[in-house]
Amino acid sequence: MTLPSARVPGRPLVMGVVNVTPDSFSDGGAWFTPEAALAHGRELVAQGADLLDVGGESTRPGAERPSTEEELRRVLPVVEALSELAPVSVDTMRASVAAAALDAGATLVNDVSGGLADPEMVPLVAARGVPVVAMHWRGHSTVMQDRARYDDVVADVCRELTARVEAFVAAGVPADDVVLDPGLGFAKLAHHNWELLRRLDEVSALGHRLVVGSSRKKFLGLVGRTAETERAPLDRDVATAATTLYAAQHGVWCVRVHDVVGTVDALDVADALAGRGPGEPS
């Protein structure tokens, strides 16, 4: 399978988030039922999403894991239906869920653990010949923030991501099929996230496509605020759009977002400023 292409050449793909969970930090289970998730996915495609990321496990700090059976129940009907509309990635750390989702029509595995949570994930991706997003990860949601300790967060993240690339490649996954995600908010404090964004070119220098997922995360809620007055997740879309533009300017392959309309608008503005887009002279 090949990686999806952006609707608009020369700018990052927009990955729309479809959380089929009751406890997402961002949307609080608004799309938990299959019917709601399907309607939301259709809306995101109509708004300009290039692909959809369907996940059935919340990875907010402190979240408890659902059973494998429950995760499958949540994601499979949604993946099957939405894969007829757009490319679908399955957001899972379980190889069995990834395998079932691929059978249901998904074309990309998005593993926030980078293959560390389930020893069967790396061989599965290799055997199925699918691309994978390997995120920087140091532990499950219940413990990850205890592990936000770095000598140099960018150097440490790059080293640990390189180890994940080596594991996938050793199993037979083509290097070009391994997409990297620096894991903003996962075992990271606010200053770690900002440092990773400031030095994004160093992560890009690893030579792999990058996904950046800053959308609605806590560190954006703190911009210009104190911890007592931080913005709620649904009030972080403007800050998300700003980081999206920054990531686009640094050549990332994909941005993972909840607010597709705001993201597309921001990218359209960047194109207009650069003399690209409808109505511009060719």
Side-chain angles (χ1 to χ4, degrees):
M1 297 183 187
T2 59
L3 287 163
S5 300
R7 292 189 185 189
V8 181
R11 71 189 203 188
L13 282 82
V14 175
M15 177 188 282
V17 178
V18 181
N19 286 321
V20 196
T21 61
D23 54 348
S24 165
F25 85 95
S26 169
D27 45 38
W31 323 114
F32 183 45
T33 67
E35 295 77 15
L38 292 175
H40 185 52
R42 293 188 190 102
E43 182 180 30
L44 294 179
V45 172
Q47 291 170 348
D50 297 294
L51 68 159
L52 300 172
D53 191 43
V54 178
E57 176 179 352
S58 174
T59 52
R60 63 175 174 78
E64 297 289 341
R65 305 195 73 189
S67 68
T68 301
E69 294 72 21
E70 174 62 13
E71 189 179 352
L72 286 166
R73 185 194 68 77
R74 293 175 183 180
V75 303
L76 290 186
V78 179
V79 168
E80 184 173 12
L82 291 181
S83 64
E84 298 178 4
L85 301 178
V88 169
S89 65
V90 57
D91 179 356
T92 184
M93 292 181 275
R94 290 179 166 128
S96 59
V97 175
L102 291 169
D103 290 340
T107 58
L108 174 68
V109 175
N110 181 15
D111 183 353
V112 300
S113 81
L116 288 169
D118 184 344
E120 297 303 315
M121 184 65 85
V122 172
L124 169 77
V125 170
R128 299 297 291 267
V130 294
V132 61
V133 178
M135 197 191 78
H136 178 262
W137 185 84
R138 284 188 165 183
H140 288 290
S141 297
T142 51
V143 299
M144 66 181 180
Q145 293 308 91
D146 297 332
R147 300 175 183 178
R149 299 182 180 90
Y150 301 91
D151 293 326
D152 177 324
V153 64
V154 178
D156 292 349
V157 166
C158 287
R159 183 181 65 254
E160 292 169 31
L161 284 176
T162 297
R164 302 319 304 147
V165 172
E166 291 171 349
F168 279 104
V169 171
V173 179
D176 285 348
D177 283 351
V178 183
V179 180
L180 299 180
D181 181 339
L184 300 178
F186 287 78
K188 316 285 190 312
L189 303 179
H191 67 281
H192 296 137
N193 297 320
W194 290 119
E195 188 70 5
L196 280 162
L197 286 170
R198 279 191 291 267
R199 296 165 59 189
L200 198 56
D201 288 344
E202 294 178 45
V203 187
S204 295
L206 295 176
H208 293 264
R209 295 177 179 88
L210 292 187
V211 172
V212 168
S214 63
S215 185
R216 295 182 179 171
K217 292 192 173 174
K218 183 179 179 69
F219 77 106
L220 296 181
L222 292 170
V223 173
R225 301 293 185 98
T226 65
E228 293 75 26
T229 62
E230 69 176 270
R231 295 174 183 85
L234 292 177
D235 295 329
R236 300 170 189 170
D237 287 338
V238 173
T240 297
T243 57
T244 292
L245 281 182
Y246 178 86
Q249 291 165 353
H250 286 75
V252 304
W253 173 71
C254 180
V255 289
R256 182 182 184 275
V257 297
H258 301 86
D259 175 28
V260 168
V261 168
T263 298
V264 171
D265 279 351
L267 294 172
D268 285 344
V269 167
D271 282 347
L273 287 170
R276 301 186 297 267
E280 296 294 339
S282 57

